[in-house]
Amino acid sequence: MVEAEVRLLGAADVRRLAAELDLRPTKQRGQNFVIDANTVRRIVRESGVGPDDVVVEVGPGLGSLTLALLEVAARVVAIEVDDLLAPRLAQTVAELAPSRADALEVVHADALRVPGVPGPPPTALVANLPYNVSVPVLLHLLSVLPSLERGLVMVQAEVADRLAAPPGSRTYGVPSVKAAWYADVRRAGAVGRNVFWPAPNVDSGLVAWARREPPATTATREQVFAVVDAAFAQRRKQLRSALSGLAGSGAAAETALRAAGVDPTARGEVLDVTAFARIAESLPRETFA
């Protein structure tokens, strides 16, 4: 059982650390730091992580969520790309949670490019993801860290809606289908703007996910995702037309769609990930060469 004496960051702490580093948060890196201890504790609670978990955090920033995770998790691997923030995080933890300092490992890298993380296989991903790259980061880590069982991420509210959207809904699209390849995804609440510094000009949402097996298919993930990308390249387009470029012609697309049991006049917005996998299976292998 992890029993840790941890002092969490408040608004004054965040501003003090930022001033010490002469840090000016940038939109380019989606830097909005959580300044409310109740919010980070809520995120940790909703994530369900416990004393047996090895948690990956992306974009830890000044350490608000990192400290809350160290209160309960066995180990936290924090991936930080910022040259100012990455070296300071371990020092912050040593100051505010000295008994847990050895449970933190900081990886100074771009989360979009890491091939894995050091140490024991991680079991959970909990993060306030940089909003400008939240979907690519989530999909990349689900791909390269197959040991991840579950997670909770904070993203822009609109993105949260897309990730958790079911087929046929207004917000269903590429992020919905690709996330569903890896996991069952659901909306897990909203977060107000006033818990951040600086306050973002968009609302935030929590997305929870639980790993599951991808659809049983002879097609590769890359092939299925190529079909998904083509299907949604022009929204509201019938699949026969949307997939004609990928398949080589409208007739070839229609043949593959019928073989997959999909109406060629249907639109990508109504198909689940299993249907996209069937379409990828039905297309000739040379389609993806």
Side-chain angles (χ1 to χ4, degrees), residues 223-277:
Q223 290 167 346
V224 176
F225 283 11
V227 173
V228 173
D229 288 335
F232 287 98
Q234 293 175 275
R235 287 188 73 86
R236 309 304 302 164
K237 205 170 189 181
Q238 293 184 355
L239 285 166
R240 182 188 189 279
S241 176
L243 299 181
S244 60
L246 180 64
S249 68
E254 180 163 347
T255 298
L257 287 162
R258 292 196 183 281
V262 175
D263 180 354
T265 67
R267 293 174 170 84
E269 289 85 350
V270 302
L271 300 187
D272 64 10
V273 67
T274 303
F276 281 109

Side-chain angles (χ1 to χ4, degrees), residues 144-178:
V144 300
L145 299 174
S147 62
L148 290 174
E149 300 165 3
R150 63 196 184 287
L152 185 82
V153 294
M154 182 156 57
V155 296
Q156 187 175 333
E158 184 182 327
V159 174
D161 290 339
R162 288 181 192 151
L163 283 167
S169 66
R170 182 178 57 82
T171 52
Y172 187 71
V174 172
S176 325
V177 186
K178 291 184 177 179

Side-chain angles (χ1 to χ4, degrees), residues 42-60:
R42 173 192 167 200
I43 290 170
V44 173
R45 185 174 63 250
E46 294 280 349
S47 74
V49 300
D52 296 326
D53 281 304
V54 175
V55 181
V56 174
E57 183 189 4
V58 176

Side-chain angles (χ1 to χ4, degrees), residues 121-201:
T123 56
L125 169 66
V126 184
N128 172 21
L129 290 177
Y131 286 5
N132 52 340
V133 291
S134 55
V135 172
V137 165
L138 176 61
L139 295 175
H140 175 68
L141 293 178
L142 285 169
S143 170
V144 300
L145 299 174
S147 62
L148 290 174
E149 300 165 3
R150 63 196 184 287
L152 185 82
V153 294
M154 182 156 57
V155 296
Q156 187 175 333
E158 184 182 327
V159 174
D161 290 339
R162 288 181 192 151
L163 283 167
S169 66
R170 182 178 57 82
T171 52
Y172 187 71
V174 172
S176 325
V177 186
K178 291 184 177 179
W181 173 270
Y182 299 102
D184 291 315
V185 184
R186 64 177 175 84
R187 262 298 220 133
V191 178
R193 302 182 187 193
N194 61 336
V195 303
F196 296 95
W197 175 80
N201 56 8

Side-chain angles (χ1 to χ4, degrees), residues 53-80:
D53 281 304
V54 175
V55 181
V56 174
E57 183 189 4
V58 176
L62 293 167
S64 300
L65 180 57
T66 314
L67 288 160
L69 287 167
L70 286 167
E71 279 190 311
V72 299
R75 172 176 158 85
V76 175
V77 181
I79 305 173
E80 177 58 69

